[in-house]
Amino acid sequence: MKTKATVSARAFVYEINAQTTCAHCGARPIEWHNPEHVELNRQRYRIGSMTSRGAPIEDIRTEMARCTPLCRRCHMAEDGRLRRLVAVATAPRPIAAPKPCIECRRSYKPLRR
């Protein structure tokens, strides 16, 4: 059940997000990045968490001032997720070993990886 505070906090965040662009490239939509949220275990202070809890708008505004608005790509580059994603995507896949046929027991190459 949504409370009145949650709805007004969510509307406030949506309005600010609609007016804000990425600090690095100027793209939209944005996310709010602050390394302290992960490094210092401050997940309670993430903008989305505060919004869903119905935190006061002043608290959300204060936390937004401490954060950097970044688009998804810049946010992933900033915290290292983009580099890890590219590394996994470009890593060579192992080739499956030949399996024996279930009827004649001869080895054959798999049709797919």
Side-chain angles (χ1 to χ4, degrees):
M1 180 177 191
K2 295 179 184 177
T3 63
K4 197 174 215 180
T6 304
V7 173
S8 64
R10 187 165 287 144
F12 170 74
V13 171
Y14 285 154
E15 183 179 327
I16 296 295
N17 286 351
Q19 298 170 3
T20 309
T21 60
C22 177
H24 291 179
C25 67
R28 285 188 182 145
I30 57 118
E31 299 172 347
W32 297 95
H33 173 71
N34 187 342
E36 292 178 359
H37 293 160
V38 176
E39 294 169 3
L40 300 179
N41 198 21
R42 296 185 63 198
Q43 282 85 8
R44 293 185 58 235
Y45 295 99
R46 290 182 175 170
I47 303 301
S49 298
M50 293 176 77
T51 303
S52 63
R53 280 195 330 264
I57 291 177
E58 282 306 313
D59 292 349
I60 294 172
R61 184 177 286 138
T62 303
E63 189 61 30
M64 282 181 171
R66 298 179 68 219
C67 296
T68 306
L70 299 174
C71 67
R72 181 74 171 168
R73 184 177 190 90
C74 293
H75 194 177
M76 289 180 71
E78 186 79 23
D79 62 15
R81 289 180 290 160
L82 186 62
R83 186 182 72 253
R84 289 191 303 266
L85 179 67
V86 169
V88 168
T90 58
R93 294 181 183 173
I95 298 175
K99 296 180 182 179
C101 175
I102 59 173
E103 294 177 4
C104 66
R105 303 309 254 168
R106 278 189 6 209
S107 293
Y108 69 94
K109 292 182 180 180
L111 298 176
R112 298 186 185 135
R113 289 187 173 194

